[in-house]
Amino acid sequence: MTPGIGLPPRSELLDGRLVAKELKEEVRHELDELRASGHECGLATVMVGDDYSAAAYERRLRRLADALEIRYRHYWLAAETSHDEVARVVHQLNADPSVHGILLLRPLPVHVPEPQLFSQLDPCKDIEALHPENAGLLALGTPRFLPSTPASVFHILDRWLDESGQDRDRFYKGATIVVVGRSNNVGKPTLALGHARGAVVISCDEWASRSGHLAEFTLRADVLVVAAGVPDLISAEHVSDGAVLIDVGINPVTDSNTGRVRLVGDIDLPAVLHLARAATPVPGGVGPVTDVWLMKNCVAAARQAN
């Protein structure tokens, strides 16, 4: 851990639902301004198959869009739908002027190559910034859209720094941020946003755990962002005193006694909370903010289109 960051008097749980509520009001204000100029905002989601996590995400987005009065459409396609048919739906939405944001819900079936499909999105409607053009703009530090989950990670951190009276610039430029997970939609963009803030950023993934070296990296973290998709991957042996823990993992786990499905994170929070300066829970941490940030990106796309 970086010298001078300081140790916590106590651990603090970062309430993502409260942050999301405040961000939602900001988005509502942006929508009011958009409508005052005579324009609306439209969001379309596309899901292929019956993945539990994707379906749960779609339901949350539908409710949120309804609450914000954003025009919302959902396209569900059977798991065996061909790549060409999924691409046809994407091109249809690209050409629809009433749709400003398109979200392809993941995971996609193996016969539908994600990179190829995301490259077929209109980059001006790609509100998760996964089109190669948008990924390149982010890497160059001139993003069209900030991917919703990495943006939410730093929005939560920024708000915590402000509320605890810490200077953002001084904190980030003195911090080591370790990101566990290298996905195109979370891990890699999180690295870019950490670099943009002047932090030292270290990237690793679950393979470091399999080789027995994960703790060598995570113990250096002032801020540990975990997005590996592995339940309870991070335990006390991986966390240094005073680290800030941001858990992006949302893993459905079936209770062996009740048969009910519950969501758990990538961090074993009960085992590490005594070490943390601050931490996000699962559920109720990054997830709710991510949902609202996606709507924020959709409003930005509608504004850019008009």
Side-chain angles (χ1 to χ4, degrees), residues 92-104:
Q92 175 186 330
L93 294 172
N94 284 344
D96 188 338
S98 70
V99 173
H100 303 99
I102 304 170
L103 178 66
L104 302 177

Side-chain angles (χ1 to χ4, degrees), residues 14 34 53 80 85 96 105 115 143 154 180 204 218 230 236 240 263 293 306:
L14 304 178
L34 180 68
S53 298
E80 62 271 16
E85 180 61 19
D96 188 338
L105 294 166
F154 283 98
V180 182
C204 55
T218 60
V230 180
S240 60
L263 297 178
W293 199 280
N306 296 294

Side-chain angles (χ1 to χ4, degrees), residues 92-170:
Q92 175 186 330
L93 294 172
N94 284 344
D96 188 338
S98 70
V99 173
H100 303 99
I102 304 170
L103 178 66
L104 302 177
L105 294 166
R106 304 196 309 166
L108 294 167
V110 293
H111 68 276
V112 182
E114 287 187 5
Q116 186 176 342
L117 190 62
F118 281 111
S119 69
Q120 293 174 298
L121 280 171
D122 179 343
C124 293
K125 296 186 179 187
D126 167 37
I127 53 176
E128 276 288 52
L130 285 167
H131 186 282
E133 179 179 315
N134 289 329
L137 289 171
L138 178 64
L140 292 171
T142 56
R144 176 182 280 123
F145 305 114
L146 294 179
S148 59
T149 300
S152 298
V153 166
F154 283 98
H155 185 69
I156 291 171
L157 283 170
D158 290 346
R159 185 180 179 279
W160 170 72
L161 289 168
D162 293 345
E163 290 198 341
S164 57
Q166 300 176 76
D167 180 82
R168 292 187 192 181
D169 189 62
R170 182 177 179 185

